[in-house]
Amino acid sequence: MTISLDLLRSFLAIHRAGSITAGAEQLGLSQPTVTAHLKALEAAVGRPLFERRARGVLATAAGDELARRIADPIDTLQGLVVDELDEPVAATVHLGGPADYISHQVLPALAGRLANGLQLRTRFGLPDELIAGLLDRSLDVVISSVRPRRPGVQVTPLYDETFALVAAPRWYSGTPVSAPDQLRHIPLVAYAEEAPILRRYWRSVFGVRLTRSVALVVPDLRGVLNAVLAGAGASVLPLYLCEADLQAGRLRLLADPELPPLNTGYLAVRSDAGPRSPASLLRTILLETLREESAAGSQGPGPVDRVDK
């Protein structure tokens, strides 16, 4: 039996969605059609590609291997076909990412492009929900502070952000601290109740667990910065957000580790985005612009630990 492209596309959609029904919806086909495609493909390869479950399907080893081999070629072909068939028209690009990074870094970098026809809509959120939006096509491009590991997503490192422990001058003793006990009298400010950035900093720089509770939680790093500037306490912030205040003396560096913590941010698009699609064009602009800024503003010789937001 000849294995057609339609059979492979249906198989890949099922593999990525984990469900025949969801795969059919992604392709705009009926469930019986996609089921027939899968049965024909399994007959052609001579082995089952999925185990049927009460909720969806689970790929067999043969199914995972086939998906690995065909995903990139099919995505590339699909993107090229879309590029050739679609007329080049102005399109709105939907971008998702962390509120602080998009507001502080991305929007200033893209401001000049709006006069040249770029139409942009932004959404803030956490990595998992943003990648879900990418896969359901409500978003076209996602900036993620953790590496996405979902099928159907093309991921590229975008920037490195260095983290610093900072506070207003009133909390600075005159010398950098070397142990967390020296910070016991300073309230802590975090963007989440679990204080993940603070916890990672304590572990990587001081070599101990953070056992204190935070005094203030603000679910936006820009709000954390403003609270710290006002004297609310100390926090760990990305250097791009607080560097100007450090240079102006409005903030002080409470610790000065030889290797400060660093986190990599990633740029994600759907694997089937064509080279001339608006998503791919925005991806290229962001890589060119923000990588240059990240390289120019990088501090220190390397990371102690990765700080996941």
Side-chain angles (χ1 to χ4, degrees):
M1 177 186 291
T2 301
I3 298 178
S4 70
L5 181 60
D6 286 339
L7 302 189
L8 296 176
R9 289 182 67 241
S10 291
F11 160 76
L12 189 58
I14 296 169
H15 188 274
R16 286 173 170 172
S19 161
I20 295 176
T21 301
E25 290 175 353
Q26 289 182 9
L27 295 172
L29 299 175
S30 68
Q31 182 176 339
T33 297
V34 173
T35 299
H37 286 174
L38 176 58
K39 289 181 178 179
L41 182 61
E42 289 181 324
V45 300
R47 63 188 66 188
L49 299 173
F50 295 101
E51 296 177 6
R52 277 63 171 177
R53 299 292 179 91
R55 294 183 178 181
V57 294
L58 180 67
T60 62
D64 282 335
E65 174 63 15
L66 179 60
R68 185 190 64 79
R69 295 177 64 183
I70 70 171
D72 287 345
I74 287 183
D75 287 336
T76 300
L77 180 59
Q78 178 67 22
L80 291 171
V81 169
V82 170
D83 279 352
E84 291 301 318
L85 295 180
D86 284 354
E87 292 294 326
V89 296
T92 299
V93 187
H94 294 262
L95 170 68
D100 58 281
Y101 188 79
I102 286 185
S103 299
H104 195 274
Q105 299 291 93
V106 175
L107 297 184
L110 296 180
R113 303 279 181 165
L114 299 176
N116 296 329
L118 174 64
Q119 299 178 35
L120 186 67
R121 301 293 183 269
T122 59
R123 186 201 302 179
F124 302 148
L126 298 174
D128 285 346
E129 63 190 60
L130 294 174
I131 294 301
L134 185 67
L135 292 173
D136 70 20
R137 300 184 180 272
S138 61
L139 290 173
D140 303 304
V141 182
V142 165
I143 296 172
S144 176
S145 56
V146 297
R147 184 180 183 88
R149 301 187 182 278
R150 299 280 295 275
V153 178
Q154 180 184 353
V155 180
T156 309
L158 176 62
Y159 63 90
D160 287 329
E161 53 186 358
T162 305
F163 285 81
L165 177 62
V166 297
R170 59 170 292 198
W171 298 111
Y172 183 59
S173 64
T175 58
V177 302
S178 57
D181 287 348
Q182 298 170 270
L183 302 167
R184 189 177 301 170
H185 64 292
I186 306 178
L188 298 179
V189 184
Y191 87 99
E193 193 68 45
E194 299 79 11
I197 299 178
L198 285 166
R199 291 185 184 280
R200 286 293 183 91
Y201 191 95
W202 253 241
R203 187 187 70 189
S204 61
V205 173
F206 299 130
V208 298
R209 292 178 58 246
L210 175 67
T211 56
R212 295 173 53 190
S213 298
V214 297
L216 174 63
V217 174
V218 186
D220 188 310
L221 288 181
R222 295 165 298 170
V224 172
L225 172 63
N226 287 331
V228 172
L229 283 168
S235 190
V236 175
L237 291 168
L239 199 57
Y240 71 76
L241 198 60
C242 63
E243 188 169 24
D245 294 303
L246 284 168
Q247 292 178 352
R250 292 185 293 267
L251 289 179
R252 294 297 179 88
L253 200 62
L254 298 186
D256 190 17
E258 182 179 354
L259 300 177
L262 176 145
N263 185 58
T264 298
Y266 298 90
L267 189 61
V269 298
R270 287 185 297 278
S271 298
D272 61 0
R276 294 195 296 120
S277 68
S280 292
L281 294 177
L282 178 61
R283 173 182 176 275
T284 299
I285 293 171
L286 291 173
L287 287 172
E288 291 175 350
T289 305
L290 296 175
R291 274 181 169 175
E292 290 176 0
E293 293 183 0
S294 178
S298 62
Q299 299 283 329
V304 170
D305 192 14
R306 296 279 161 172
V307 181
D308 297 329
K309 288 193 283 183

